[in-house]
Amino acid sequence: AMNAVSFRTLRLNFERHYNLDDVKLGPDIMGRVLERLGCSELVVADTISRALAERGVPAGESNGISLADFLLWLFHVPPVLASADTDLEDPSLGHAFRGVSVHHLGTEFFRQVEAVGLSRDSKIYEIEPAVIRPRGEHVLCPRDGQLGAAYVDAIRGEDHAGMASIMLSYTWGYSIGDIVDSLAAYCEKEKLDPKRVYVWMCCLCINQH
């Protein structure tokens, strides 16, 4: 809930001076915003890199993310909760069949696993309390409006989540490396774009809160 409140507070303050959708942020200005929020130099660099990558901004682009979009991303606020009159930018958000892309699992999800000291050999039951549950801990669930959302509802962008095209049958005793390798091999064999193959996995798509 605090993420949504913080977003709305910042949005109101910025809206007094700017049209949030017209103001474009490059890495320099994004860095200043993060520094003002008390982020360390290392966190600033990592956050900017992830923000640009997840919003699909090419490296070196000086003006690529709108101020509104950056704030939404920064506070992990689903667009549907950001404002009562905001258009639904992500049609599958909150849907029972929303899934995570194979691309997301092999990139950002792996990075999060490594960031908490785990590895591709780690089991799902080890990753769930360290990565999966925390990702949606401070996000308002778009399904019930309560604090705490499924992992899949805490990520955004069509390269990362969408309506599931496959459901994975597995156990929490499998390693994340084996799971992702199998999904990547499936995409390669079937000549499918990993960014458009969305997987329904209970650990990521059912609210663990």
Side-chain angles (χ1 to χ4, degrees), residues 105-106 109-110 113-114 118-127 132 168 170-183 201 203-204:
L105 292 171
F109 192 76
F110 262 154
V113 168
E114 293 171 349
L118 298 175
S119 72
R120 59 179 289 109
D121 295 323
S122 298
K123 315 299 185 186
I124 294 297
Y125 64 75
E126 298 174 303
I127 296 171
I132 297 172
L168 185 68
Y170 71 108
T171 78
W172 283 29
Y174 287 3
S175 73
I176 186 60
D178 285 346
I179 290 174
V180 174
D181 287 349
S182 297
L183 291 169
M201 296 175 61
C203 65
L204 300 174

Side-chain angles (χ1 to χ4, degrees), residues 96 128 133 137:
E128 192 280 326
R133 203 182 318 163
E137 182 178 3

Side-chain angles (χ1 to χ4, degrees), residues 29-78:
I29 298 178
M30 289 166 64
R32 291 178 203 166
V33 171
L34 292 168
E35 287 170 2
R36 292 294 295 271
L37 291 173
C39 296
S40 68
E41 217 172 285
L42 185 61
V43 170
V44 167
D46 179 64
T47 301
I48 291 173
S49 176
R50 287 192 296 114
L52 293 174
E54 290 184 34
R55 305 318 288 172
V57 178
E61 180 71 42
S62 58
N63 293 298
I65 301 181
S66 72
L67 182 52
D69 199 26
F70 179 61
L71 292 177
L72 281 169
W73 180 90
L74 185 63
F75 287 96
H76 304 297
V77 178

